[in-house]
């Protein structure tokens, strides 16, 4: 009988039974490298606080709103790990399928994986039922999955936007299990600033360009005030024929578009003085 | 071939699953059922075998509602039907819960057929001994639909179909006389097909009619009697016309 290779079953953590009194995992057999637990009075609270520190505070700004010509979806592109900016070029608007978009806020890996998974499920629904899944259905599929993982540490705050037979659809879905239908949403640490611009400038009847510009401005202002948002603003429009990317602008350049540099009188005096 | 009919998961050398074929025999012994798809209406007509005097006929409804827009009638083992109908009803509601939309007729037919197929490929179980006729309206396109499933787990869409006792003669009649109709004409077509094999009269026929607007409606015995009387009158008139024509030539 050949010796079976059990190395894949070995876990990295775990105290053999009997050590330390309370045991977290009941492991037997393979010899584990014992991990020393830190010296603290309340180990469970220590675990919770550590998890909390690492927990993503959803450093981002995303927004979406419905208007008479469809749905506008916009997001920034900065990823941060605490005070460190890990990337300025993250794609936070995920293309689930040619007529549905999802936004990313929270854990990047969680969002990317579950949106891809949702895309798979939507495609299977299409193949089985010979019709596209509705935005309602897609958001419900995602919400049910996230609810079943509730409490296990997923961090996802997403908006599902699309155009189906009932017209434009927009849902907010998060890892706590909430699922809300609405006309305007903004998610992330910069959402407060984005809401300010968005709520003020929003009208149901707008042209696609006006709506795109409103979204761009709202995200820009969020990146101006919120340290965890920045990079570029991507703006998408979802219409009856599917989504289309309207623009992608660097916020630094946008700033000088909105607020061009004014030449001050003092500078002019200085140049006169040097030539005389 | 007797050795190959004990377990359903065993093929016979010439490719038969005998248990499934025996299940079809059970269907052929069941009551006659006719389903017709009209332009904006669907009709299910079922033979009602004589009810014992003491039995409460309201407890033996042959046409079951799966959802507000889908109904089912079947021929074969009634106890199996009850189980299948319950599973289908649960699936209709479960679908509404997970995608917030009612099922299409095709979806629920596929589900029922899938269930029937599962029981032809498992150990220790026998197939469901019934064929179903499923009617309804598509919630999006509002088009009427009629589907049939059988114990082997296959399903297909039909303009008109019959199953159960003497289904072949009923189907022949339908093939000769089917036209795209609506309203009363569709109901009369269903009754005429059923009367080919069933004793005439309202107490031997159970009919349910479904329209997009009004949903499912079971016809009263008196209504059925009226239709039957109309049909008999039409038949008599046609006979007289034939005889008259024959006399003239």
């Amino acid at each position: 009988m050949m010796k079976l290779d059990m190395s894949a079953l070995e876990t990295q953590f775990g105290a053999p039974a009997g050590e330390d009194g309370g045991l977290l995992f009941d492991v037997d057999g393979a010899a584990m490298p014992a991990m020393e637990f830190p010296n603290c009075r309340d180990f469970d609270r220590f675990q919770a606080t550590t998890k909390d520190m690492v927990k993503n505070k959803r450093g981002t700004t995303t927004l979406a709103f419905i208007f008479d010509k469809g749905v506008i979806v916009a997001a920034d592109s900065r990823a941060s790990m605490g005070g460190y900016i890990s990337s300025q070029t993250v794609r936070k608007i995920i293309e689930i399928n040619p007529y549905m978009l999802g936004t990313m806020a929270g854990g990047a890996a969680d969002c990317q994986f579950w949106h891809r998974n949702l895309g798979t499920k939507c495609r299977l629904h299409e193949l089985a039922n010979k019709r596209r899944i509705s935005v309602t259905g897609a958001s419900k599929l995602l919400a049910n999955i996230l609810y079943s993982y509730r409490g296990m540490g997923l961090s996802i705050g997403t908006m599902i936007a699309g155009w189906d037979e009932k017209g434009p659809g927009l849902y907010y879905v998060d890892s706590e299990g909430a699922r809300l239908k609405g006309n305007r949403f903004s998610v992330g640490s910069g959402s407060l600033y984005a809401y300010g611009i968005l709520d003020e400038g929003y009208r149901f009847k707008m042209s696609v360009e006006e709506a795109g510009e409103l979204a761009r401005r709202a995200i820009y202002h969020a990146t101006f005030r919120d340290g965890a948002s920045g990079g570029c603003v991507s703006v998408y429009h979802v219409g009856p024929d599917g989504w289309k990317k309207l623009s992608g602008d660097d916020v630094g350049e946008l700033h000088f578009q909105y607020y061009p540099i004014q030449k001050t009188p003092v500078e002019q005096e200085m140049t006169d003085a040097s030539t005389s | 071939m007797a050795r190959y009919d004990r377990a359903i998961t065993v093929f016979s050398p010439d490719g038969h699953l005998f248990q499934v074929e025996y299940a079809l025999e059970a269907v052929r012994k069941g009551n006659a059922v006719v389903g017709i798809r009209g332009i904006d209406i669907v009709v299910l007509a079922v033979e009602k075998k004589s009810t014992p005097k003491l039995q409460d006929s309201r407890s033996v409804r042959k046409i079951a509602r799966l959802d507000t827009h889908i109904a089912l009638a079947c021929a074969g083992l009634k106890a199996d039907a009850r189980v299948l109908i319950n599973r289908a009803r649960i699936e209709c509601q479960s679908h509404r819960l997970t995608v917030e939309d009612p099922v299409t007729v095709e979806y629920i037919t596929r589900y029922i057929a899938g269930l029937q197929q599962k029981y032809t490929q498992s150990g220790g179980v026998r197939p469901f001994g019934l064929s179903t006729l499923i009617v309804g309206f598509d919630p999006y396109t509002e088009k009427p639909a009629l589907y049939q499933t059988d114990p082997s787990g296959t399903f297909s869409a039909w303009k008109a179909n019959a199953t159960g006792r003497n289904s072949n003669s009923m189907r022949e009649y339908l093939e000769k006389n089917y036209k795209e109709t609506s309203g009363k004409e569709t109901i009369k077509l269903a009754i005429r097909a059923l009367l080919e094999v069933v004793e005439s009269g309202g107490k031997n026929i159970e009919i349910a009619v479904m329209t997009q607007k009004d949903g499912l409606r079971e016809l009263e015995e008196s209504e059925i009697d009226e239709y039957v009387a109309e049909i008999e009158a039409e038949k008599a008139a046609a006979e007289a016309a034939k005889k008259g024509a024959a006399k003239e030539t």
Side-chain angles (χ1 to χ4, degrees):
Chain A
M1 254 267 281
M2 64 174 198
K3 186 157 193 309
L4 295 168
D5 176 17
M6 300 280 201
S7 58
L9 294 174
E10 286 176 9
T11 59
Q12 282 178 304
F13 311 109
E19 219 177 285
D20 216 30
L23 46 94
L24 290 172
F25 310 99
D26 190 10
V27 291
D28 58 280
M32 311 270 169
M35 184 184 91
E36 276 181 33
F37 290 129
N39 234 342
C40 58
R41 272 165 291 144
D42 188 354
F43 183 66
D44 292 314
R45 275 243 43 86
F46 168 76
Q47 269 207 318
T49 36
T50 331
K51 253 181 72 175
D52 246 350
M53 287 204 289
V54 181
K55 192 185 216 161
N56 224 308
K57 296 277 190 292
R58 304 235 183 114
T60 193
T61 312
T62 58
L63 65 81
F65 60 86
I66 293 180
F67 67 118
D68 69 331
K69 297 188 178 63
V71 199
I72 294 286
V73 184
D76 74 314
S77 67
R78 175 175 290 182
S80 49
M81 280 157 48
Y84 172 68
I85 297 175
S86 44
S87 170
Q88 290 271 62
T89 53
V90 178
R91 292 183 57 163
K92 296 192 187 177
I93 297 182
I94 298 159
E95 297 147 10
I96 298 171
N97 60 42
Y99 60 99
M100 235 191 276
L101 294 173
T103 58
M104 182 199 297
D110 290 340
C111 289
Q112 272 178 3
F113 178 85
W114 287 110
H115 278 118
R116 275 301 279 275
N117 186 281
L118 179 64
T120 309
K121 288 204 163 63
C122 291
R123 180 71 183 136
L124 288 173
H125 179 102
E126 247 181 75
L127 288 169
N129 295 294
K130 293 180 210 151
R131 69 183 319 131
R132 283 183 181 164
I133 192 171
S134 59
V135 184
T136 316
S139 61
K140 193 123 194 193
L141 283 179
L142 182 64
N144 287 338
I145 294 169
L146 295 184
Y147 184 78
S148 66
Y149 282 88
R150 194 171 132 94
M152 295 197 213
L154 282 186
S155 171
I156 300 176
T158 183
M159 294 177 285
I160 305 289
W163 187 294
D164 58 28
E165 281 164 1
K166 296 191 203 111
L170 178 60
Y171 285 83
Y172 164 76
V173 179
D174 75 14
S175 45
E176 305 296 295
R179 174 174 165 269
L180 302 170
K181 182 169 157 72
N183 284 332
R184 283 205 302 278
F185 286 113
S186 178
V187 181
S189 55
S191 62
L192 275 63
Y193 312 111
Y195 270 129
I197 304 293
L198 180 59
D199 288 342
E200 181 58 33
Y202 176 82
R203 279 176 325 281
F204 183 70
K205 276 194 157 55
M206 279 192 279
S207 70
V208 175
E209 290 74 31
E210 283 178 311
E213 178 54 32
L214 176 66
R216 198 173 305 120
R217 192 126 198 179
I219 298 280
Y220 157 76
H221 270 105
T223 63
F224 186 69
R225 288 290 176 185
D226 177 34
S229 303
C232 336
V233 185
S234 310
V235 183
Y236 283 67
H237 170 243
V238 189
D241 301 322
W243 56 259
K244 186 161 169 300
K245 182 161 184 178
L246 291 181
S247 66
D249 301 292
D250 184 288
V251 295
E253 285 166 27
L254 274 183
H255 174 83
F256 291 108
Q257 266 178 44
Y258 292 138
Y259 304 106
I261 301 174
Q262 309 283 354
K263 275 216 164 17
T264 63
V266 175
E267 279 179 37
Q268 295 202 327
E269 277 177 29
M270 280 170 66
T271 47
D272 285 341
S274 63
T275 49
S276 67
Chain B
M1 288 300 159
R3 274 193 304 233
Y4 296 101
D5 64 357
R6 281 307 157 89
I8 52 160
T9 50
V10 175
F11 274 112
S12 70
D14 57 349
H16 291 270
L17 280 175
F18 278 113
Q19 281 295 312
V20 176
E21 296 187 10
Y22 298 160
L24 279 158
E25 275 301 315
V27 170
R28 264 173 239 132
K29 289 197 167 45
N31 49 245
V33 185
V34 168
I36 311 230
R37 181 188 86 193
I39 297 173
D40 56 359
I41 186 176
V42 282
V43 179
L44 280 173
V46 182
E47 167 193 10
K48 224 174 17 185
K49 292 211 187 92
S50 56
T51 48
K53 277 207 192 116
L54 294 174
Q55 188 180 70
D56 187 343
S57 55
R58 283 170 303 173
S59 68
V60 280
R61 284 265 166 268
K62 302 257 169 102
I63 298 172
R65 182 202 299 258
L66 294 185
D67 202 340
T68 47
H69 60 301
I70 302 192
L72 172 152
C74 51
L77 299 173
K78 285 288 168 274
D80 288 4
R82 203 178 56 236
V83 169
L84 211 53
I85 289 169
N86 281 337
R87 299 273 281 273
R89 284 176 175 156
I90 292 173
E91 179 60 24
C92 285
Q93 296 312 309
S94 174
H95 186 273
R96 276 183 189 261
L97 186 59
T98 46
V99 293
E100 284 187 15
D101 264 332
V103 293
T104 57
V105 190
E106 200 256 342
Y107 178 94
I108 198 63
T109 308
R110 205 167 357 110
Y111 176 80
I112 292 175
L115 264 186
Q116 287 182 293
Q117 191 279 341
K118 219 183 286 199
Y119 280 72
T120 68
Q121 211 176 7
S122 301
V125 295
R126 61 161 177 81
F128 287 98
L130 63 137
S131 291
T132 67
L133 284 179
I134 301 168
V135 296
F137 282 85
D138 189 308
Y140 313 104
T141 60
E142 303 194 348
K143 286 214 188 84
L146 165 67
Y147 283 85
Q148 186 208 31
T149 73
D150 64 25
S152 65
T154 54
F155 72 95
S156 46
W158 293 75
K159 294 183 195 154
N161 201 356
T163 182
R165 204 162 63 82
N166 298 335
S167 56
N168 285 332
S169 26
M170 288 192 282
R171 210 173 299 121
E172 263 179 49
Y173 178 85
L174 287 171
E175 278 177 21
K176 277 201 212 103
N177 295 290
Y178 176 80
K179 272 192 305 284
E180 288 250 8
T181 51
S182 90
K184 282 197 171 159
E185 282 309 311
T186 322
I187 302 176
K188 289 214 306 233
L189 180 58
I191 298 179
R192 259 185 260 127
L194 199 58
L195 285 177
E196 293 278 306
V197 303
V198 160
E199 258 181 59
S200 159
K203 58 182 176 58
N204 299 320
I205 301 176
E206 194 175 301
I207 301 194
V209 168
M210 188 187 283
T211 51
Q212 169 72 28
K213 275 196 290 107
D214 305 320
L216 187 70
R217 189 173 73 87
E218 301 239 357
L219 298 186
E220 304 273 328
E221 213 177 286
S222 49
E223 275 184 87
I224 303 177
D225 279 328
E226 272 180 44
Y227 280 115
V228 170
E230 264 186 62
I231 291 170
E232 311 255 277
E234 280 169 16
K235 254 198 223 162
E239 288 274 332
K242 252 205 302 199
K243 279 212 188 97
K247 263 202 196 138
E248 282 175 20
T249 52

